[in-house]
Amino acid sequence: MATAAEARAKYDRIADRYEEIFFYVGDVGARLAAFAGPPPGARALDVGAGRGAVARALLARGCAVTAIDASPEMVARLAADHPELTARTMDAAAPDFPDATFDLVTAGFVVQVLDDPAAVLAQVRRMLVPGGTIALSLERQSVGRLSWLQELSVEFFSPGSPAEPAPEPSPGTGPMDAEGLDSLLTEAGFTGLAREEIEMPLPLDGPEALWEWLQPRGGTELVAALGERAGEFHARFLDGARTMGEDGGITLDFAATLHRAHRPG
């Protein structure tokens, strides 16, 4: 799993095309704002705001929005696109706001890239007014029908020999899941937990379409690092995608969960 510093550098590089690369961010941001359900005039803080998917949905609901992100490039573009909100570069683990400042704190697809999510949730609880709401979205990671691509990637990109499997992750270091996030919220002192699931399938038109879709999402750099084996990987990728297409079509099964809880009054 990437560290927060690695994630910040990545988002700086793709700030100009973030929501084009991650096609589902805008829709999930609007749904997260609706799930949070703030009244007009609510003071909202959006953590890890990116290009503003959640923040602009909160603005549309009449909230007074402050947005923070660790990526200076993201913040600069967000401020230019939405001058009606307050945008600041800030570390989610050390936010510079007084206690009980906000009625709502949101974070869209952020908690899974934090180095210490429990510490950030403690800060959120501190910044919320008693009875205030936290609303989070979490990408639900599942290999599903792309298991062939995972196996191919292990063969080509694992440490050591091509056939050497990747080391097993240590306990507690795997991707965060919905149950784990709910546990973190409970441990941080939040109550009234609610959860909603979202399905976001993306059908693609053939093996080359899948290949092209992956390139701006890190595929170009990974394949280039293979050197002489890049052509072999490409050919076997297309074979695997072709088989997938013949067995029900090429569809990327993205999914997410929305989480809502409250600071006790």
Side-chain angles (χ1 to χ4, degrees):
M1 186 171 68
T3 66
E6 290 168 339
R8 180 168 58 249
K10 168 187 172 183
Y11 295 136
D12 268 342
R13 291 193 300 271
I14 63 173
D16 61 337
R17 51 203 167 98
Y18 174 71
E19 290 192 25
E20 289 73 28
I21 292 176
F22 300 101
F23 70 97
Y24 48 82
V25 167
D27 179 56
V28 178
R31 294 179 68 167
L32 181 62
F35 186 64
R43 298 166 298 169
L45 172 67
D46 188 31
V47 177
R51 293 294 302 275
V54 180
R56 62 176 176 263
L58 293 173
L59 287 171
R61 298 180 69 89
C63 296
V65 180
T66 300
I68 65 172
D69 198 285
S71 164
E73 289 294 329
M74 287 287 195
V75 171
R77 291 177 178 277
L78 179 60
D81 292 342
H82 301 285
E84 64 272 38
L85 58 72
T86 300
R88 295 178 61 183
T89 302
M90 194 176 295
D91 183 352
D96 186 20
F97 298 108
D99 295 357
T101 298
F102 300 102
D103 305 300
L104 168 67
V105 176
T106 58
F109 297 129
V110 172
V111 64
Q112 64 263 37
V113 300
L114 297 172
D115 290 337
D116 189 349
V120 173
L121 292 179
Q123 289 288 349
V124 170
R125 189 177 187 277
R126 176 188 68 78
M127 293 185 292
L128 280 171
V129 299
T133 300
I134 179 173
L136 311 169
S137 62
L138 177 70
E139 186 172 357
R140 199 172 75 213
Q141 300 185 16
S142 174
V143 174
R145 293 179 62 240
L146 284 173
S147 58
W148 63 270
L149 179 54
Q150 183 185 57
E151 294 167 3
L152 185 64
S153 298
V154 166
E155 178 181 343
F156 276 79
F157 299 109
S158 291
S161 66
E164 180 183 341
E168 290 293 324
S170 302
T173 62
M176 183 181 296
D177 60 18
E179 289 72 22
L181 178 52
D182 280 349
S183 294
L184 284 174
L185 287 165
T186 299
E187 292 165 6
F190 292 99
T191 60
L193 273 66
R195 190 197 304 175
E196 179 179 305
E197 295 189 357
I198 296 176
E199 302 289 339
M200 302 170 287
L202 177 67
L204 294 173
D205 186 21
E208 285 290 357
L210 178 58
W211 178 265
E212 293 300 326
W213 188 88
L214 288 169
Q215 296 318 295
R217 294 160 178 84
T220 299
E221 293 83 358
L222 283 172
V223 174
L226 290 174
E228 295 180 354
R229 302 193 73 210
E232 179 190 356
F233 178 82
H234 185 206
R236 290 184 55 188
F237 175 96
L238 294 179
D239 285 343
R242 193 172 297 110
T243 299
M244 180 183 181
E246 293 168 353
D247 184 26
I250 299 176
T251 300
L252 303 179
D253 297 319
F254 292 100
T257 50
L258 307 182
H259 300 253
R260 184 181 64 228
H262 304 284
R263 174 180 172 176

